[in-house]
Amino acid sequence: MDDAVFLTYILEKPRLFLSRMVLILCVFLCMIAPIQAERVFFSDGTLYNGSLSKDDILEKFEEYTGEGPVIVFHDLICLSCQDAMDYFREFEQLYPEIPLVYYDLHGNTTNKLLFEKYMKDYHQENLLAPTAFVGPAGIEGNESIRLVFEPFALLYVDNQ
């Protein structure tokens, strides 16, 4: 083998190895990183956004005819769900009169089917845990739950 060809081959080998290692690292990080899902929506399929006024939100709660507890879907092995469950425990201490019903999705087909029914009823697809259904509102994701769960739960209870 010519010295120049050999030197080029040796110099290219580490680059190839390094690029493969970077690719493998990126794939690994994507696999272990939690998927962030944050969505707030209403039973009519409307997505919550900054353009909705306080009156618009109040109207959605006033128009809602359903009754029942607040429903929370979570997964025992989900880190975001664990954070949300910490929040719900704090909420229950502050508002013990507001009933919350929890459904664990981990390995429970019945609860998964119920979750799918709620998704269909609220005109949503591919929701991830944690998701709470508070009367006419659905709240997906730990950050969204921490932002709007309390005011929505209080509105819902006041309108029942």
Side-chain angles (χ1 to χ4, degrees):
M1 187 182 281
D2 184 83
D3 286 342
V5 173
F6 181 73
L7 187 57
T8 303
Y9 177 77
I10 288 186
L11 290 175
E12 289 297 319
K13 237 0 180 173
R15 287 187 201 158
L16 184 61
F17 175 76
L18 183 60
S19 65
R20 285 185 180 169
M21 288 306 295
V22 168
L23 178 62
I24 290 169
L25 181 63
C26 288
V27 169
F28 178 73
L29 289 175
C30 288
M31 290 174 56
I32 64 168
I35 298 171
Q36 296 297 322
E38 301 289 334
R39 214 178 332 184
V40 178
F41 50 90
F42 294 97
S43 56
D44 63 2
T46 306
L47 287 176
Y48 173 86
N49 61 44
S51 67
L52 283 175
S53 70
K54 180 181 174 184
D55 291 336
D56 293 333
I57 294 167
L58 288 172
E59 185 177 319
K60 294 209 181 282
F61 279 88
E62 289 169 358
E63 291 174 352
Y64 186 72
T65 58
E67 291 184 1
V70 173
I71 305 296
V72 176
F73 290 94
H74 66 98
D75 190 320
L76 286 176
I77 63 170
C78 160
L79 293 176
S80 181
C81 295
Q82 291 171 9
D83 289 342
M85 293 303 287
D86 290 341
Y87 171 81
F88 289 127
R89 282 189 280 281
E90 293 170 13
F91 179 86
E92 286 179 309
Q93 288 179 352
L94 290 173
Y95 304 101
E97 71 280 3
I98 299 178
L100 275 69
V101 177
Y102 300 98
Y103 293 96
D104 180 24
L105 298 171
H106 186 73
N108 190 316
T109 304
T110 304
N111 291 350
K112 287 178 184 177
L113 291 172
L114 182 61
F115 189 40
E116 288 175 11
K117 180 187 178 315
Y118 270 87
M119 280 191 257
K120 184 178 177 185
D121 291 348
Y122 282 72
H123 310 284
Q124 299 299 311
E125 294 180 3
N126 304 318
L127 292 175
L128 298 174
T131 297
F133 292 92
V134 184
I139 310 165
E140 177 190 34
N142 185 40
E143 294 301 317
S144 294
I145 287 169
R146 289 180 179 273
L147 286 173
V148 299
F149 181 81
E150 182 177 0
F152 281 11
L154 295 174
L155 268 175
Y156 177 55
V157 169
D158 287 345
N159 287 318
Q160 277 191 344

